[in-house]
Structures are given as C-alpha cells and as structure tokens.
C-alpha cells in the first residue's frame, strides 16, 4: 500500500480554507481516487448529540466510542491526536487534505486574502503553492519574487488539483 499524498490548506480565519478543500475534493476524486480530510479546530467541539446512544456511553465514562453501519464509521475519543497519527489512520486513501495545523511540516497551499495575510508567507514552511485573491497577487510577486511556490488565483481549483496530480510524489513521499 502506498502512502497518501498529503497537502495542508492553511490560512487565517475566513480566508476560504473550507471552500477550497470542498472544491478540490471532486477534482482529486477523478479517476477513482479516494480523498480524506482532516480539519484542525482550535476550540472544543462535539459532533455527538445529547440523547444518542454514543453520547450516553461517553457520559457514562467511556474514553472512546465507535459506531458503524454498512456505509459509515465514526470514532469519538476523549483525547487529542497528532496530525501524523491521524494521517497514519488514513493510509488507505490516495489524498489527505489537511485544513489547518499551520505549524506542521507537510507541503502546503497558503491562502492569501488580505494584506495582513502576507505575513503567513514568512511564518510558514514548506509552501508548495499560494492561492490568492486577484488583488493580492501583485503583492505576493513583489514580496517573494524568487519563491519556488506556484501562485494561483483562488478560483483556479483545477490548476491546484493538477499540481497535486502532477507532483503527487512530492506530497506523497514527504517525511517529517
């Protein structure tokens, strides 16, 4: 089994990360590829609902619960997980898109929406591409003229998916 191609989508709040991930998924699935997504949430969240069996089991003290059907499996654990741990759990997928985890070392597409977002280009390592709103592209070129990362307009999801397809081994064989 080969390793999945991992690409982080990073940007500040309301920069369009989720929209970009959702637009890339169907493009990456072409040709029968399987795509998984890992989303970082800096806040507490709960995807379980009061009154469900799994909620009752967690309330009773279970540190992990799993529920599965012929079409879906969910696992809820009462602990955090590292990104590398989560990626290992998705080893059977062709692509793993990671929303967030800015400080991790996997290859990234950095979203630049506003002038204040430009600082991400200095703070972020392993930038594979930059996705920017049209008005920001001249600033990016003047700020990082020799940068190896490709620059895409934010709506050029086909171009970004093509980058992931063509340079799959760069996203797949990355070791941290």
């Amino acid at each position: 089994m080969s390793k999945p191609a991992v690409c982080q989508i990073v940007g500040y709040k309301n920069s369009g990360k989720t929209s970009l991930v959702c637009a890339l998924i169907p493009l990456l699935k072409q040709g029968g590829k399987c795509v998984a997504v890992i989303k970082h949430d800096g806040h507490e969240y709960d995807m379980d609902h009061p009154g469900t069996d799994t909620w009752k089991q967690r309330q009773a003290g279970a540190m992990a619960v799993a529920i599965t059907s012929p079409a879906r499996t969910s696992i809820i654990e009462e602990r955090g997980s590292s990104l590398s741990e989560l990626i290992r759990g998705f080893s059977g997928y062709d692509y793993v898109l990671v929303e967030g985890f800015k400080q991790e070392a996997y290859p990234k597409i950095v979203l630049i929406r506003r002038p204040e977002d430009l600082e991400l280009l200095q703070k972020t390592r392993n930038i594979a591409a930059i996705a920017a709103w049209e008005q920001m592209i001249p600033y990016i070129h003047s700020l990082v003229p020799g940068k190896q990362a490709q620059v895409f307009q934010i709506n050029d999801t086909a171009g970004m998916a093509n980058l992931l397809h063509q340079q799959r081994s760069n996203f797949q064989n990355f070791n941290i």
Side-chain angles (χ1 to χ4, degrees):
M1 182 183 318
S2 65
K3 293 177 5 181
V6 178
C7 181
Q8 290 182 249
I9 309 297
V10 300
Y12 289 130
K13 185 177 171 117
N14 296 322
S15 62
K17 296 180 299 292
T18 301
S19 295
L20 179 56
V21 167
C22 291
L24 286 172
I25 292 168
L27 297 172
L28 293 174
K29 284 182 66 175
Q30 291 176 358
K33 301 291 186 192
C34 295
V35 180
V37 175
I38 298 170
K39 178 178 174 52
H40 181 255
D41 186 343
H43 309 287
E44 291 295 318
Y45 74 94
D46 196 353
M47 59 184 247
D48 210 356
H49 303 288
T52 63
D53 291 346
T54 52
W55 181 86
K56 290 175 188 174
Q57 293 156 352
R58 287 177 45 232
Q59 294 301 304
M63 293 301 292
V65 295
I67 185 169
T68 191
S69 72
R72 180 172 296 125
T73 297
S74 297
I75 299 170
I76 302 170
E77 295 180 295
E78 297 297 325
R79 67 176 187 89
S81 299
S82 70
L83 180 55
S84 59
E85 203 176 12
L86 293 167
I87 290 169
R88 277 193 302 277
F90 286 151
S91 62
Y93 292 85
D94 297 301
Y95 290 95
V96 177
L97 299 178
V98 178
E99 185 177 329
F101 292 92
K102 288 183 199 79
Q103 301 309 313
E104 293 288 339
Y106 294 93
K108 294 170 186 62
I109 297 175
V110 178
L111 277 65
I112 304 295
R113 184 175 194 146
R114 299 168 288 273
E116 53 268 32
D117 297 348
L118 290 168
E119 71 177 5
L120 265 179
L121 299 176
Q122 268 66 52
K123 290 181 168 183
T124 306
R125 60 186 168 150
N126 205 10
I127 299 172
I130 300 167
W133 274 252
E134 188 172 351
Q135 71 274 11
M136 296 306 301
I137 290 176
Y139 296 102
I140 292 166
H141 287 305
S142 67
L143 186 64
V144 284
K147 198 87 169 168
Q148 297 251 335
Q150 286 191 249
V151 178
F152 295 95
Q153 286 194 15
I154 191 64
N155 293 325
D156 186 6
T157 53
M160 289 180 256
N162 193 41
L163 171 77
L164 287 166
H165 283 301
Q166 288 182 347
Q167 296 185 16
R168 181 173 164 74
S169 63
N170 293 340
F171 292 91
Q172 187 176 31
N173 296 321
F174 187 77
N175 294 312
I176 57 168

